Amino acid sequence: MTPAEPRGDSPPDADAPTGSASVTTVAPTAPEPPAPEPPAAGPVAAPEAAGVASAGRRRRRWTLRRIDLAVHGVFLLAALWVTSGIWVDPAGRVAALYSSDPAQVQFFLAHSVRVVLHGEFPFYTDQFNYPDGVNLMANTAILALGIPMVPVTLLFGPAVSFVTLVTLGLAGTAAAWYRLLSRHVVRLRLAAAVGAWFCGFSPAMLSHASWHPNIISQFLLPFIIWRVLVLTRSTRPVRDGALLALLVTVQAFINEEILLFTALACGVFLLAVVAQRRGLWATARRPLGVGLAVCAVLAGALLAYPLYVQFAGPMAYHGLSDTVRDYGNDIAAFFAPGSTTLGGNQRANVNLAPNYSEENAFFGWSLSLLSVGIVVWLRREVLVRALAVTGGFFALLSLGERVSWWDRDLFTGPWELLVHLPLLDAVVPTRFGLITTVVIGVLLAFAVERAAALRVPDRRTVRILTVAGLVLALLPIAPMPLQVTTRPGVPRFITADRWRQYVGPDQTLVPVPVPSMGNTDPMRWAASTDLAFKIPGGYFLAPRNGVTGDPGRFGGRPTGIGDLLEEVAATGRAPKLNDRQLRRFLDELRHWRAAIVVLPLNEPNAEPLRRTVEQLLGPARQELDVWVWDVRKLTSQSA
């Protein structure tokens, strides 16, 4: 049977050496119920029997389609439930605690509009961090998501596009895993639905849903994994390698880190399978080698220029800052429920993850124990053992460079040996927990199907115990609506286009405080206008000293006026500026080619901020809901 053929009715033996990429050729499945005996053969009975069988097949297909539609509907309703707090007011609500990433994503969505409508260069922009600009390939500009969302962004704004992406990312990921599991891994639709539910709505996915639609949009990953497995027994490896290359290329424009995780997980899983059934390698190596070579050549050709810009283009950086590279999971995080789940406790989790957007484990005690129990129960199956090795290996790497228990360092982790390798130096290690999450989802699917196939006298008791086990494991980590908070709206000075009478094409609008990682509201201002004006600063990754090739850091090069205004905004104290500071600040405004400086009236500590800026630029003028300083004469080239 080739991977393109439908599965047969007889489940193969779990330990049979097959060399097939198809999961169903290795894993035993629940036997189909015996078909009814056909009527006696005869000149009339035979056509009648054929008609009855055909009608039965049609009814079964229709029943399965209705089940699939119902499952997809549940996934969509669950995604809407999770994002309901933001849907109430997409422009006025944002995830609690951190608002930087949503503003950055909205900026990238607006950039996709400019790419489509104005033919703007997709991989770099100077619309923020002017004049240095930002390398968008090195900042996950989600072009593969933003470009399809251009109609929504144009009609409803980037805030609506953002929450739409989050909703579809959760539901779409669950639906994609359901497709893979139900068609190629298990026969029982319920088993596939349980596994897909966890893959799409795990605590890790809920944690990233508030901030990172690029990470939760994993709907291509099941198909990438399946195409890799297909290659191990493909009769047309060139075609299958080309199909894999197209999937890889699209995923690279969603999130490269998740693509790298997928490649690493496939490699470890296949090695774990081959280590148990060495005869498989003789069958699989040729088609797999040819297919991967075709994939590498084609995907390499399609991605060559974007990757060149990413690693050697303007504002490219090499490796993440030491702080981010040290983000690891605490061992205790695997046994606590996520903050955004039914049994979650945000305060209890405060020291178990780098921050609330990186809760990449948090399975809870019951699911952690159940996962171990499933592996022990099904340990005779090759796939289960390979999955256990894969999940355990990446769970270990996710602990980071220093392994800890309840925020107490224990010993140096194996990640210390890998962190400086090319590509891995740009990985956030805690996110390896996302691989373990998928492994647990697949194990749950196997367990439900194997439980349903048990041949025991009291099947009702088995069903009750299975349901009870799933409820005990999954109910504490059931998804809850994302916690949200209100945020200031875009000033009317911006939405009414009053800024246009001041700012020219090669000039900037300078918000107060200057945009930074902790002040991303001005990025939403620009996004609301489809990036019609430039701003200095912002939230992004860039080389530490603004020199291509330096290690990365968040934000551009430090500025005197930016740091000072950020301190005033935080403390509410307006300092007395000396002549040296005044000259430096004026030089920075000229460097930015500032046209106007803008301070919203409702900005926290607006009064001390206004007094500080007035020491440099003189009295401000109120226009609508902002204070404005026209600095064109001060910053012109002839000044």
Side-chain angles (χ1 to χ4, degrees):
M1 183 179 74
T2 65
E5 294 174 347
R7 296 177 301 191
D9 291 334
S10 301
D13 183 75
D15 291 330
T18 63
S20 168
S22 173
V23 175
T24 54
T25 62
V26 182
T29 56
E32 296 283 346
E37 294 186 6
V44 177
E48 288 180 353
V52 170
S54 177
R57 285 193 295 270
R58 286 196 298 270
R59 283 195 299 271
R60 184 171 184 274
R61 283 197 297 269
W62 174 236
T63 299
L64 292 178
R65 289 195 188 99
R66 285 189 293 181
I67 293 173
D68 292 345
L69 288 173
V71 171
H72 292 155
V74 170
F75 291 157
L76 181 58
L77 288 175
L80 289 170
W81 161 255
V82 170
T83 56
S84 57
I86 303 177
W87 274 113
V88 170
D89 183 9
R93 291 193 174 189
V94 70
L97 301 178
Y98 304 103
S99 61
S100 299
D101 287 280
Q104 184 192 62
V105 173
Q106 291 178 36
F107 195 97
F108 291 158
L109 291 170
H111 172 72
S112 292
V113 172
R114 294 179 67 86
V115 170
V116 172
L117 296 188
H118 306 297
E120 190 158 301
F121 187 60
F123 309 135
Y124 169 86
T125 184
D126 63 359
Q127 294 300 123
F128 66 140
N129 195 39
Y130 186 87
D132 291 336
V134 175
N135 189 315
L136 296 177
M137 276 302 298
N139 277 271
T140 315
I142 58 168
L143 291 168
L145 301 176
I147 290 177
M149 291 297 294
V150 164
V152 178
T153 306
L154 283 173
L155 290 173
F156 305 106
V160 173
S161 285
F162 173 84
V163 68
T164 301
L165 281 179
V166 172
T167 305
L168 295 181
L170 293 171
T173 298
W177 279 109
Y178 175 76
R179 173 77 183 187
L180 174 66
L181 294 173
S182 64
R183 300 303 191 273
H184 303 294
V185 180
V186 294
R187 295 178 183 273
L188 189 64
R189 289 296 203 268
L190 175 61
V194 170
W197 170 269
F198 186 73
C199 290
F201 295 95
S202 67
M205 292 286 283
L206 297 175
S207 171
H208 286 286
S210 294
W211 298 277
H212 305 139
N214 56 311
I215 291 179
I216 66 170
S217 296
Q218 298 179 16
F219 38 78
L220 291 184
L221 301 193
F223 303 107
I224 291 175
I225 293 170
W226 178 243
R227 298 316 302 179
V228 171
L229 297 178
V230 163
L231 282 175
T232 62
R233 64 171 301 170
S234 174
T235 57
R236 292 183 285 182
V238 174
R239 183 208 64 172
D240 291 333
L243 290 174
L244 178 61
L246 295 178
L247 291 171
V248 165
T249 301
V250 176
Q251 177 60 39
F253 289 109
I254 296 177
N255 187 280
E256 292 175 326
E257 186 179 37
I258 296 298
L259 177 60
L260 176 61
F261 287 171
T262 305
L264 294 174
C266 286
V268 172
F269 175 79
L270 290 176
L271 287 174
V273 171
V274 170
Q276 300 173 77
R277 293 290 181 267
R278 298 185 181 181
L280 299 178
W281 179 243
T283 305
R285 63 182 180 183
R286 186 179 183 280
L288 182 63
V290 172
L292 291 182
V294 170
C295 175
V297 170
L298 182 55
L302 293 173
L303 293 172
Y305 181 65
L307 292 179
Y308 167 78
V309 174
Q310 177 176 345
F311 292 105
M315 297 299 287
Y317 60 88
H318 294 169
L320 297 176
S321 67
D322 294 338
T323 302
V324 177
R325 289 193 314 190
D326 196 35
Y327 278 4
N329 290 327
D330 193 293
I331 295 176
F334 289 92
F335 307 106
S339 297
T340 53
T341 62
L342 180 62
N345 185 332
Q346 195 176 80
R347 292 183 178 180
N349 294 348
V350 67
N351 292 320
L352 300 183
N355 55 59
Y356 292 114
S357 69
E358 296 289 353
E359 292 189 353
N360 294 296
F362 294 88
F363 305 128
W365 277 103
S366 53
L367 180 59
S368 297
L369 294 176
L370 178 62
S371 301
V372 174
I374 291 171
V375 172
V376 173
W377 173 37
L378 303 178
R379 63 187 180 279
R380 296 182 181 275
E381 298 190 25
V382 173
L383 288 185
V384 171
R385 293 197 294 265
L387 286 168
V389 169
T390 305
F393 176 75
F394 288 105
L396 182 60
L397 289 187
S398 77
L399 301 177
E401 297 180 67
R402 293 186 299 276
V403 178
S404 62
W405 170 258
W406 285 106
D407 204 29
R408 292 191 296 271
D409 289 349
L410 301 178
F411 51 85
T412 300
W415 182 242
E416 172 74 20
L417 304 175
L418 305 174
V419 67
H420 297 293
L421 295 178
L423 297 183
L424 295 183
D425 62 356
V427 164
V428 183
T430 174
R431 294 177 184 175
F432 282 122
L434 294 167
I435 299 175
T436 305
T437 294
V438 170
V439 167
I440 291 177
V442 178
L443 287 175
L444 287 172
F446 277 141
V448 172
E449 179 158 87
R450 301 303 184 268
L454 287 175
R455 299 182 180 277
V456 294
D458 190 358
R459 295 178 62 85
R460 180 182 178 185
T461 300
V462 172
R463 286 196 295 268
I464 293 174
L465 290 176
T466 301
V467 172
L470 290 175
V471 170
L472 182 64
L474 298 180
L475 185 60
I477 56 172
M480 296 297 289
L482 300 175
Q483 298 182 31
V484 298
T485 186
T486 58
R487 59 182 176 184
V490 177
R492 287 187 295 119
F493 178 80
I494 302 296
T495 58
D497 286 344
R498 293 284 286 272
W499 61 270
R500 292 185 183 274
Q501 59 187 286
Y502 299 100
V503 185
D506 295 320
Q507 296 175 311
T508 62
L509 182 154
V510 179
V512 177
V514 177
S516 64
M517 183 178 180
N519 176 39
T520 54
D521 286 340
M523 295 180 68
R524 293 191 297 109
W525 304 356
S528 70
T529 68
D530 295 330
L531 310 188
F533 58 82
K534 304 176 190 291
I535 57 174
Y539 173 45
F540 51 88
L541 280 163
R544 186 168 298 166
N545 298 307
V547 179
T548 294
D550 282 354
R553 57 164 288 161
F554 289 105
R557 287 178 282 190
T559 67
I561 190 171
D563 293 343
L564 175 69
L565 294 177
E566 185 174 349
E567 182 179 352
V568 175
T571 64
R573 293 192 296 268
K576 178 66 176 176
L577 303 183
N578 57 43
D579 291 341
R580 182 174 175 273
Q581 289 175 309
L582 295 175
R583 287 195 300 270
R584 180 181 178 184
F585 296 168
L586 187 57
D587 287 341
E588 289 177 347
L589 291 176
R590 287 172 176 158
H591 178 68
W592 293 332
R593 301 194 66 181
I596 53 174
V597 177
V598 176
L599 170 63
L601 299 180
N602 63 351
E603 180 73 27
N605 290 319
E607 185 57 25
L609 284 168
R610 182 178 65 84
R611 292 199 306 268
T612 302
V613 177
E614 284 184 340
Q615 293 182 59
L616 172 65
L617 304 177
R621 181 174 67 256
Q622 181 178 342
E623 287 200 33
L624 298 179
D625 53 351
V626 300
W627 294 108
V628 176
W629 290 267
D630 185 346
V631 297
R632 287 175 292 181
K633 292 183 179 179
L634 292 174
T635 60
S636 65
Q637 296 299 323
S638 59

